[in-house]
Each structure stands twice: as C-alpha cells, then as structure tokens.
Amino acid sequence: EPEVTQTPSHQVTQMGQEVILRCVPISNHLYFYWYRQILGQKVEFLVSFYNNEISEKSEIFDDQFSVERPDGSNFTLKIRSTKLEDSAMYFCASSEIQHNEKLFFGSGTQLSVL
Amino acid sequence: AQSVAQPEDQVNVAEGNPLTVKCTYSVSGNPYLFWYVQYPNRGLQFLLKYITGDNLVKGSYGFEAEFNKSQTSFHLKKPSALVSDSALYFCAVRDFNKFYFGSGTKLNVKP
C-alpha cells in the first residue's frame, strides 16, 4: 500500500526557534492535512490544504504556523517561533478527494521543544 | 461540535480471547465513524468505517465494529485476538473534511 512519508522522525529544538516538518504525500492525492497529538491527549486537526491554499484550519493553527507545498511532492509545516506547548507528535495525511473517508497518514514527527 | 471519547487508555486481553475497544460519540446530524490503528513507528492505518446501513461493520484484519445509535457507541471488536493486534487504536468522527479523533486506546494482547 502507498505510504505518506514524514521527516524527520524526531526533532528537538530550543524555544523560540523555527522548525520545518516535512511530508511527502501519496503522489496522486490532492488533499493534504496536518494533525498533532500532545502526549496523552487527542489527535487534533490543524489544517487542510488543497489547490495550493489552506481550505480549513483550526483555532490551534495561529499566525506562528504556516504550510506550503513548495514543489510537486513536498508538503511542509513551519512553526516560526516554537513554544514549549508545541511539543507533540505531528502527523501529515493525504487523501484522493476531499470527502473520501480514507486518510493516509504518515508515521509522524515527534517535536520536542526545550 | 463533533467529538468521540475512548474511555479506556489501555485494554489487556489474552490471545484467542475476544476483544472490545470502546468508543462513544457526540455528533450533530448523521455520524460518520471510523477506526484507525497505529503500529509502532507507523502512521495511522484505516481499519473500518460506518457511514450508513448495517450496524455491524466489517473491516481489515478480522476487526468489526458495532454502531449503536441509542447508546451513541461504536465499539471495535474482534472474536479472537492475536498478539500481532497489539497496537494503538483510534476512534474518529468525520465532519466534512476534518476528522476528530479520540485519545487512543492501547491494546495489549498477551500470548
């Protein structure tokens, strides 16, 4: 089965630093998502992306977050000035069509902000 | 707002025994419910879904789930657990193009 790949698997950064989390969605997918899970809490929706623009975002996705599809394959999440509370597992996902129920997820990037 | 709850952080079961992983939901309108599984160092993998129709839904790896409208539940079940079923299980509800996930239940199947 095709897979979404995420890099790095672990990222440690100092508070206030910028981080970029990278994802390669499945090649024929059109919709892309970022989710995160703080340890012991629910998996939370951050943002969805289609046709080179954000289609929906949660209240978590404030001005310090941004997403980009810089080329035909990568999908990135940037956190401009990390905070301690940004420490979480970040999951990228993609799907073929918007209302297709099946999301394909990456294995996640564990972000630790010190 | 849509939400799901998984009341158990962990479920322990012996291999060969039936297993149940619980999920309750709160939705406005018709619920679109899902189960995903996460194995160590892997992404979340789709197991099964309920959109409409039969209350008993069959999915991958021998899993099934029972939709119960009166109890607002969507419990995941398997008649005979395998050690290889040990993983983290997430219940989710879909609201347009967003999924709302539960906090996950760790299933431990012991030989």
Side-chain angles (χ1 to χ4, degrees):
Chain A
E1 188 169 73
E3 288 191 340
V4 175
T5 57
Q6 288 185 245
T7 55
S9 56
H10 294 86
Q11 175 82 52
V12 180
T13 189
Q14 296 292 322
M15 187 171 56
Q17 295 297 304
E18 175 182 286
V19 295
I20 298 176
L21 309 184
R22 302 181 191 280
C23 170
V24 179
I26 294 170
S27 60
N28 62 335
H29 286 185
L30 300 176
Y31 293 88
F32 314 114
Y33 308 82
W34 284 100
Y35 285 80
R36 78 174 186 187
Q37 185 181 30
I38 295 171
L39 186 64
Q41 298 184 24
K42 295 185 176 186
V43 177
E44 302 171 294
F45 169 79
L46 292 179
V47 66
S48 59
F49 190 87
Y50 169 71
N51 199 25
N52 286 320
E53 61 183 23
I54 291 173
S55 53
E56 195 165 358
K57 61 183 180 179
S58 72
E59 61 274 9
I60 301 169
F61 195 88
D62 61 22
D63 291 344
Q64 71 162 337
F65 290 91
S66 63
V67 289
E68 191 177 35
R69 189 159 164 80
D71 53 40
S73 60
N74 290 287
F75 179 52
T76 62
L77 174 69
K78 181 191 290 185
I79 309 175
R80 289 191 183 82
S81 178
T82 50
K83 305 171 186 171
L84 295 176
E85 54 265 35
D86 293 329
S87 295
M89 177 72 86
Y90 288 80
F91 294 106
C92 175
S94 68
S95 69
E96 289 180 80
I97 60 175
Q98 185 175 22
H99 297 297
N100 186 323
E101 66 277 6
K102 192 170 182 177
L103 293 186
F104 289 78
F105 283 85
S107 55
T109 294
Q110 181 65 55
L111 176 65
S112 298
V113 182
L114 305 179
Chain B
Q2 320 286 43
S3 68
V4 292
Q6 294 179 245
E8 302 156 317
D9 291 334
Q10 187 167 295
V11 169
N12 298 311
V13 64
E15 188 174 32
N17 284 358
L19 69 87
T20 299
V21 182
K22 295 179 181 178
C23 173
T24 57
Y25 65 88
S26 174
V27 303
S28 54
N30 294 321
Y32 299 138
L33 298 162
F34 303 83
W35 277 100
Y36 278 79
V37 60
Q38 186 181 29
Y39 298 101
N41 302 315
R42 301 291 300 275
L44 280 70
Q45 296 177 34
F46 170 78
L47 270 182
L48 51 78
K49 68 181 187 292
Y50 173 83
I51 304 296
T52 186
D54 289 340
N55 290 341
L56 186 63
V57 178
K58 294 189 183 297
S60 306
Y61 312 120
F63 283 93
E64 56 191 27
E66 186 171 10
F67 171 70
N68 188 315
K69 188 173 183 178
S70 63
Q71 297 185 3
T72 62
S73 67
F74 188 58
H75 300 332
L76 182 70
K77 300 181 179 184
K78 188 173 183 181
S80 179
L82 300 173
V83 172
S84 57
D85 292 329
S86 298
L88 191 57
Y89 291 81
F90 292 94
C91 180
V93 61
R94 192 185 95 194
D95 180 14
F96 295 103
N97 66 338
K98 285 188 296 188
F99 279 68
Y100 295 90
F101 287 88
S103 54
T105 299
K106 186 177 181 183
L107 174 65
N108 295 312
V109 181
K110 299 180 180 178

